[in-house]
Amino acid sequence: VTGVGGPNFFHEFIVTPDGVLSTVHSPHNFRFGLTLPLLEDDGRELDVQVNDRIASTTYPAEISNGDSQHFIAVNMEPVLLEEEESVLSTYGWLRPVRLTSDAKQIQVFTYPRSEDDPEATEVQASFEINEAGFSSVLGKVEGSLYIGRFAAGGIGKTLHLSDSEVPDVEFDAPCAFIVQHTEGKITAIETDTDITAHVQGTSVSLSAFVKKEL
């Protein structure tokens, strides 16, 4: 409103290959909420489920392999999920779900799930937020790095897939990068700059934005 300050909000995102942690907070002392957009019909009717801490939408088994999307409230404090009247968007009907809490911030993990991925309830039960980032059965964020079940990366000079003191990847200089790995073995790597990497005992020359199979 012209001539009137506030309210002000900050909406922060941590994006990983397995999901997105969204944090909304405000410097003002008032109650606020976050609306979660559940796709309920894009020409195909989806199964929409809302419980006390998870709002989910799933394609029918006959047209998918169990693909679903889950909005998981990861606040330690109690939350309230309230369904609202459906609205038509540019890609189908959406069921708005209003998430509110008495907490000073609202945190939601958006989890796109395929058939072989952990259940949303497993992710919720294992989710822990700490000073370095967060962790769950899907993986962990430590500062500017992410280590997941099949991919890892971020911005840095070294990467440790395990607790070993010897890094699995070490670059000549800090850079943005992503790796694919299987059972602890790195199978592919890509960086945002031309650089040399030492990957599990092998020296590799990398070109910017070119995936290198190992």
Side-chain angles (χ1 to χ4, degrees):
V1 179
T2 302
V4 179
N8 300 317
F9 295 91
F10 296 90
H11 201 170
E12 300 168 352
F13 301 89
I14 299 177
V15 182
T16 79
D18 296 300
V20 178
L21 178 64
S22 169
T23 302
V24 181
H25 60 95
S26 173
H28 305 288
N29 185 25
F30 55 71
R31 186 178 176 86
F32 61 91
L34 181 66
T35 299
L36 310 175
L38 286 182
L39 180 64
E40 76 175 353
D41 194 318
D42 63 355
R44 299 161 294 180
E45 187 175 353
L46 286 80
D47 178 25
V48 173
Q49 299 287 335
V50 179
N51 64 26
D52 58 343
R53 298 190 73 85
I54 303 176
S56 304
T57 183
T58 306
Y59 279 108
E62 60 268 19
I63 63 170
S64 77
N65 294 320
D67 291 345
S68 56
Q69 175 121 308
H70 308 269
F71 296 93
I72 305 171
V74 295
N75 282 66
M76 295 298 295
E77 301 84 358
V79 301
L80 177 64
L81 293 176
E82 295 180 292
E83 297 181 61
E84 300 181 351
E85 186 177 347
S86 300
V87 296
L88 183 60
S89 73
T90 56
Y91 59 93
W93 285 94
L94 299 177
R95 177 88 57 83
V97 177
R98 183 76 168 166
L99 189 160
T100 56
S101 172
D102 289 329
K104 294 183 178 180
Q105 62 181 13
I106 291 176
Q107 292 183 291
V108 175
F109 187 70
T110 303
Y111 174 41
R113 179 182 178 272
S114 297
E115 185 179 27
D116 296 330
D117 292 330
E119 296 286 350
T121 51
E122 294 179 63
V123 176
Q124 180 196 47
S126 64
F127 209 94
E128 294 185 3
I129 297 175
N130 52 57
E131 292 184 0
F134 63 86
S135 64
S136 74
V137 293
L138 300 173
K140 60 181 179 180
V141 168
E142 293 183 345
S144 61
L145 296 176
Y146 177 71
I147 301 172
R149 296 167 299 147
F150 310 112
I155 300 175
K157 188 176 180 181
T158 61
L159 173 70
H160 296 256
L161 292 178
S162 65
D163 295 330
S164 171
E165 293 184 2
V166 179
D168 292 278
V169 181
E170 185 170 6
F171 300 100
D172 288 347
C175 64
F177 67 96
I178 188 168
V179 304
Q180 292 175 301
H181 63 90
T182 302
E183 298 180 349
K185 178 176 174 55
I186 294 176
T187 58
I189 185 170
E190 183 176 334
T191 62
D192 70 339
T193 187
D194 296 345
I195 203 167
T196 298
H198 306 279
V199 183
Q200 296 179 329
T202 301
S203 181
V204 180
S205 295
L206 301 170
S207 298
F209 305 111
V210 177
K211 179 179 178 181
K212 179 78 171 181
E213 303 281 353
L214 301 174

